[in-house]
Amino acid sequence: MHLRVTFVAAARSSSLLAERFEDDRPLDQADWDEVQRAAPELVPLAAAELRYCSPTPRSRATGDALGYAPLAQPALRDCDMGRWRGFTLGEAMAREPSAVDAWLADPRSAPHGGESLTSFISRVGGWLDTRPADDGSRIVAVAEPSVVRAALVYALKAQPSTYWNIDVRPLSTITLTGVNGRWNLRLEGVPQLA
């Protein structure tokens, strides 16, 4: 049986320039308002047989606000950024410019002491490949934009460096269809489960 996994990018809890690695901040009022504006298009995804989320406060809050009642999945957590956790990219660059350059240039490196980009992509891909096809064919997962990017790189069997060329906007959706290592990207104008 083929699966249909729709990822919903979590609402943003800060401006893009203030994004922090492994950001655990909850949604603020502006973010709640954004979720409510997007709800008419996203609420129908709650009909999925399985509903998951990243274990971050904003992913859980986004899923709950949309009526998904998602189950947190540790494998959908953001990339482990080691000692850079909580930093913005600018702050990490100011403290360790050569380490940031190495991290951006080599997807196998982890100069921050956390997880490499290739390990992160593999972890998210492993979660995708182990979804139970016999439990239902429709899945929705609310995840951090970085997790959605990793899932796309994995599903398309793209080079890990492609990760840096994918822009995932808050509350956007992407759908992958297939099963166990054979995934296709499905682009749709309006989220649908049929």
Side-chain angles (χ1 to χ4, degrees):
M1 173 184 290
H2 274 65
L3 298 174
R4 180 185 174 105
V5 181
T6 300
F7 284 94
V8 177
R12 178 169 288 144
S13 60
S14 64
S15 74
L16 186 58
L17 293 177
E19 280 288 306
R20 298 186 174 279
F21 296 125
E22 295 185 84
D23 193 350
D24 284 340
R25 291 178 293 173
L27 299 179
D28 62 21
Q29 187 58 51
D31 303 317
W32 280 106
D33 294 344
E34 189 177 344
V35 171
Q36 294 309 309
R37 284 191 299 276
E41 290 184 17
L42 299 175
V43 166
L45 294 171
E49 287 94 353
L50 299 172
R51 296 170 305 280
Y52 301 115
C53 69
S54 295
T56 61
R58 69 182 180 179
S59 292
R60 162 91 52 207
T62 300
D64 286 344
L66 295 171
Y68 299 169
L71 175 65
Q73 296 286 283
L76 292 180
R77 71 189 180 284
D78 209 343
C79 186
D80 177 358
M81 296 304 291
R83 69 179 170 277
W84 295 350
R85 185 177 201 274
F87 290 2
T88 64
L89 180 60
E91 290 168 346
M93 181 63 95
R95 291 181 174 142
E96 301 180 51
S98 59
V100 171
D101 287 343
W103 174 65
L104 293 171
D106 182 1
R108 296 166 302 188
S109 72
H112 43 63
E115 189 175 26
S116 72
L117 184 59
T118 54
S119 294
F120 173 49
I121 292 167
S122 293
R123 171 171 46 85
V124 173
W127 176 87
L128 191 61
D129 283 348
T130 57
R131 292 310 84 213
D134 55 346
D135 282 351
S137 62
R138 298 177 300 172
I139 297 170
V140 65
V142 180
E144 298 300 314
S146 60
V147 173
V148 178
R149 289 163 64 189
L152 281 168
V153 170
Y154 181 82
L156 297 174
K157 296 179 173 49
Q159 293 296 319
S161 60
T162 305
Y163 177 88
W164 303 118
N165 302 103
I166 299 172
D167 183 22
V168 176
R169 299 175 62 112
L171 300 171
S172 62
T173 63
I174 63 111
T175 299
L176 301 174
T177 59
V179 67
N180 194 19
R182 296 183 313 270
W183 297 98
N184 298 303
L185 173 61
R186 183 172 183 168
L187 300 175
E188 300 172 309
V190 177
Q192 299 174 355
L193 288 175

